[in-house]
Amino acid sequence: MLSFDPSYFLAVFPQIAAALPFTFYVVAAAAAMSLLAGAAVAAVRIARVPVLYALCEVWLSFVRSMPFVLLLFLMYFTVPAFLRAAGLDTSRLPKEVYVFAAVVFGFAPVIGEVIRPAYLSVDRGQHDAARAFGFSDFDRIFRIIVPQMIPVAAPPLMNQVIEIVKDTSLMYLIGLMDLMGRANLLIHVNMGRGKLENYAAVALLYWVLVAVLEAAAQYLSRRSSGGFPGGAS
Amino acid sequence: MAILSVEELEKSFGDRQVLRGISFRAEEGDVVSVLGPSGTGKTTMLRCLNALERPDAGRVAIGSVSVDFRHASKKEVRALRRQSTMVFQNFNLFRNHTVLENVMDGLVYGKGMTRAEAEPLAMEELARVHMEQAAHLYPAELSGGMQQRVGIARALAPRPEVILLDEPTSALDPELVGEVLDAIRKAASLGITMIIVTHEMRFAEQISTKVLFMAEGRVVEEGPPQQIFHHPEQEKTRQFLRRMLEREQEG
Ligand SMILES: Nc1ncnc2c1ncn2[C@@H]1O[C@H](COP(=O)(O)OP(=O)(O)OP(=O)(O)O)[C@@H](O)[C@H]1O
Ligand SMILES: [Mg+2]
C-alpha cells in the first residue's frame, strides 16, 4: 500500500537538501568545463582544422548514441587504469572527477554544435568593422562577437545545462552523496521504507534547482548582452 | 610625399583573378573616387587597403606604414589597419553598442585611449553629423541614413590618415542619400584623405580631387574629375559614363 507520511517527509527534506551545495558544485563545475571544451570544439569546426575537424565529427556521433550512465562507468573504470599506467596515484582522486570527465566527454561536442551556429549567426560585417577599426582579435571576439552570440546561444545552452543537471543525478551510482545519494542512503537506513517521501523531496529539489538556474541564466544573458535591441534576430 | 601609395596589388579568389596589378597614389587631402562596372574589383581593392582581404602580392603604404603583402606579419597588418578607418555599404555599426560607444570604439580598442578621453571626442564627431541626440540609442533603433552618419562619425573620430568608403549611400532609400552625402562633404572639408567607391556620379564629380576608373581588375584611366567626366581618353570609360548618365536621368 502506498502511503505518504508528511512528518517523515519534513524530517528527511532538510537532510537531503544538505546535499544541494555539493550537487550544485558538481553540476556547475561540470557545466563550466563543458562550455570551455565546447568552445574549443566549435573553434576547431569553424576554423575547419584538418584531422581535428573529422575527429570532432566522430566524437559527436559517438556520444549522441551513448547513454550517460555508460559514459560515467567507462570513465570510472578506465580513467584510473590510464592514470596508474602513467604512474599517478589515483586513490586520493575525488570521485567527482569521473563525473567531470564523463560530462565533458559527453557534452563538449554537443555544446560545440550550439556555439558554432551562434557564432555564425553574427554578421561577417561585425568582424570586418572590428578589424577595420584596429581591434585586437581578443577584443573583437569578446567585446563584439560574443555579446551578440549570447542571445542566440543562451536558450539552447541552458537546455544542455539542464541535461547535465539531470544526467549527473546518476553520480550516486559511483558512490557520491548528491541528492539521489542522500535519498538512497536515508531509505537504506530506514530499512527500505519511506521511498516516496525521500524521492518526493529529491524531485522537489531538482525542480527548484532547474527553476533557479533558468532564472539566473535569463538575468545573466540580459545583462551580459547589454540588452541591445534586435539582439536575437 | 604621397599619403597613400598602392603598388601592383594582385588578388585572386580561387582561380578567378579579381585584381590584376592595381597601382595608384593619393596626396594628403585628396578625395579619390573609384568608379567602374559591377564586379570589377572595386570593393576587393578597397578591402585590400586595410587587409580585410589579404592581397596575393603588392604593396600598400599609408602614412608611415608600408606593407609588402608577399611577406607581411600580423603585426604589420595591424599597424597598417590603424592608419585607416572604413565606412561600409551596410553600415556595420556594432549592434551591441550604443551610437556613442560605436564612435568611441575605434579610439578605445584601436588607439588605446581611456573611455574618459574618448567620450568628448566621440560626442564632437556625433555633433558634426547631427547625431548627438541619438548618442544613447542602439543602431537597430535608427534609420539607414542615421546609421550611416554614425558610420561616418565613427570613421572620423580616430583621425586616420585615410578613410575608405565603399558605396556609402547605395544601401539607402533615395530620400536618405542627401543627408549622408552632406556628412561626407563635411568630412572631406576637414582635409582628411578619402578613397570612395561610388556610383553617385554627380557627387563624385563635385567632391573628388581625383577619379580612378577601374574595369576588370585594372585601373583603366585616372585623372582629375574634369578630365575623366568630360574628356575621358579610354573608350571603356566613355561607355561606362554614358550608361551611368542614362541611368541617373531615368532615376
Ligand atoms: N570573398 C569572395 N570570394 C569569392 N569571390 C569573390 C569574393 N569577393 C568578391 N568576389 C568576386 O570578385 C569579383 C569582384 O568583386 P567586387 O565586390 O570587388 O566588385 P565591385 O567592383 O565592388 O562590384 P560592385 O560594383 O557590384 O560592388 C566579383 O566577381 C565577385 O564575385
Ligand atoms: Mg562593391
Side-chain angles (χ1 to χ4, degrees):
Chain A
M1 226 213 70
L2 203 59
S3 69
F4 186 86
D5 176 355
S7 63
Y8 179 64
F9 173 80
L10 289 176
V12 294
F13 188 86
Q15 297 183 53
I16 293 175
L20 208 47
F22 176 74
T23 307
F24 184 80
Y25 147 71
V26 174
V27 168
M33 289 180 219
S34 307
L35 187 66
L36 287 179
V41 170
V44 160
R45 300 204 60 177
I46 289 161
R48 299 186 174 278
V49 180
V51 186
L52 287 183
Y53 182 90
L55 275 178
C56 285
E57 205 141 288
V58 175
W59 183 7
L60 176 68
S61 105
F62 178 76
V63 298
R64 272 215 175 123
S65 35
M66 286 305 120
F68 185 76
V69 63
L70 189 57
L71 295 179
L72 184 60
F73 282 3
L74 278 175
M75 292 298 163
Y76 189 57
F77 294 118
T78 60
V79 167
F82 281 117
L83 291 178
R84 274 196 297 272
L88 294 167
D89 175 18
T90 58
S91 59
R92 283 210 225 105
L93 207 58
K95 279 183 177 171
E96 57 265 32
V97 167
Y98 304 117
V99 182
F100 298 154
V103 172
V104 168
F105 184 71
F107 281 85
V110 180
I111 288 176
E113 282 308 279
V114 169
I115 293 177
R116 185 170 69 128
Y119 178 89
L120 295 175
S121 77
V122 180
D123 178 13
R124 231 189 58 154
Q126 298 290 306
H127 293 271
D128 286 347
R131 290 195 175 101
F133 282 84
F135 281 56
S136 65
D137 288 343
F138 181 90
D139 285 336
R140 172 171 55 89
I141 296 299
F142 289 99
R143 303 290 179 177
I144 302 300
I145 306 304
V146 168
Q148 297 186 50
M149 289 167 63
I150 287 173
V152 180
L157 278 180
M158 199 55 225
N159 288 339
Q160 292 306 319
V161 171
I162 291 169
E163 288 301 312
I164 292 172
V165 169
K166 293 192 283 190
D167 282 350
T168 51
S169 68
L170 291 163
M171 70 176 115
Y172 80 92
L173 288 171
I174 60 170
L176 284 164
M177 281 298 137
D178 70 330
L179 299 176
M180 276 302 274
R182 282 286 177 115
N184 285 327
L185 182 68
L186 287 166
I187 292 165
H188 182 73
V189 298
N190 205 20
M191 316 285 215
R193 279 173 286 128
K195 288 196 177 77
L196 184 58
E197 291 83 350
N198 276 289
Y199 290 141
V202 173
L204 192 60
L205 286 163
Y206 267 110
W207 194 11
V208 171
L209 181 59
V210 169
V212 167
L213 282 174
E214 279 187 324
Q218 250 176 29
Y219 173 77
L220 284 177
S221 87
R222 225 180 303 124
R223 269 205 32 176
S224 57
S225 66
F228 61 94
S233 74
Chain B
M1 242 286 285
I3 198 162
L4 167 80
S5 94
V6 178
E7 287 165 33
E8 294 298 323
L9 275 190
E10 290 176 23
K11 174 72 182 171
S12 299
F13 292 111
D15 54 9
R16 176 163 165 42
Q17 192 172 6
V18 174
L19 301 183
R20 301 162 182 267
I22 301 269
S23 303
F24 70 96
R25 297 156 77 82
E27 308 299 325
E28 189 166 358
D30 263 346
V31 176
V32 180
S33 291
V34 181
L35 314 179
S38 187
T40 276
K42 305 181 296 295
T43 295
T44 305
M45 184 275 283
L46 206 65
R47 289 169 60 86
C48 284
L49 301 186
N50 61 359
L52 289 185
E53 301 292 354
R54 180 76 184 256
D56 303 325
R59 175 184 288 279
V60 172
I62 306 179
S64 56
V65 178
S66 173
V67 173
D68 180 345
F69 282 103
R70 272 194 204 281
H71 23 70
S73 70
K74 216 174 157 149
K75 213 174 137 199
E76 286 178 299
V77 165
R78 201 157 168 230
L80 181 69
R81 279 183 182 151
R82 291 208 168 122
Q83 303 296 301
S84 65
T85 58
M86 193 169 225
V87 175
F88 298 87
Q89 189 169 356
N90 301 315
F91 328 132
N92 290 343
L93 297 181
F94 300 122
R95 296 163 59 87
N96 59 318
H97 285 181
T98 63
V99 162
L100 177 61
E101 287 169 333
N102 265 279
V103 181
M104 289 166 60
D105 281 339
L107 299 168
V108 173
Y109 300 114
K111 297 190 97 174
M113 282 187 193
T114 65
R115 299 182 74 81
E117 289 167 337
E119 187 167 328
L121 298 177
M123 280 311 290
E124 200 177 308
E125 295 311 325
L126 283 175
R128 197 186 305 283
V129 298
H130 306 296
M131 286 299 293
E132 68 274 36
Q133 302 288 329
H136 298 290
L137 297 180
Y138 284 90
E141 298 171 302
L142 305 179
S143 73
M146 292 164 98
Q147 289 190 55
Q148 196 59 302
R149 278 148 61 197
V150 175
I152 290 161
R154 172 171 77 164
L156 279 170
R159 284 293 181 277
E161 302 288 346
V162 177
I163 300 180
L164 311 169
L165 303 93
D166 188 12
E167 299 198 33
T169 59
S170 64
L172 298 174
D173 293 334
E175 72 273 17
L176 300 178
V177 169
E179 64 187 65
V180 171
L181 294 183
D182 286 343
I184 296 171
R185 275 196 196 92
K186 260 194 183 165
S189 71
L190 293 172
I192 299 180
T193 313
M194 302 204 284
I195 314 293
I196 172 166
V197 175
T198 184
H199 288 301
E200 298 280 341
M201 293 297 137
R202 219 158 289 157
F203 175 71
E205 187 176 351
Q206 290 164 8
I207 200 179
S208 310
T209 57
K210 189 173 188 174
V211 179
L212 226 63
F213 176 70
M214 275 179 67
E216 288 149 28
R218 291 198 172 83
V219 176
V220 173
E221 191 167 355
E222 65 174 295
Q226 188 64 17
Q227 177 199 321
I228 301 292
F229 284 104
H230 300 288
H231 311 285
E233 283 165 10
Q234 303 294 323
E235 181 53 31
K236 273 187 186 156
T237 317
R238 277 196 285 270
Q239 277 177 6
F240 173 78
L241 288 172
R242 211 176 304 132
R243 233 179 310 124
M244 293 308 289
L245 282 176
E246 277 166 20
R247 198 186 299 170
E248 279 197 2
Q249 271 152 16
E250 282 164 22

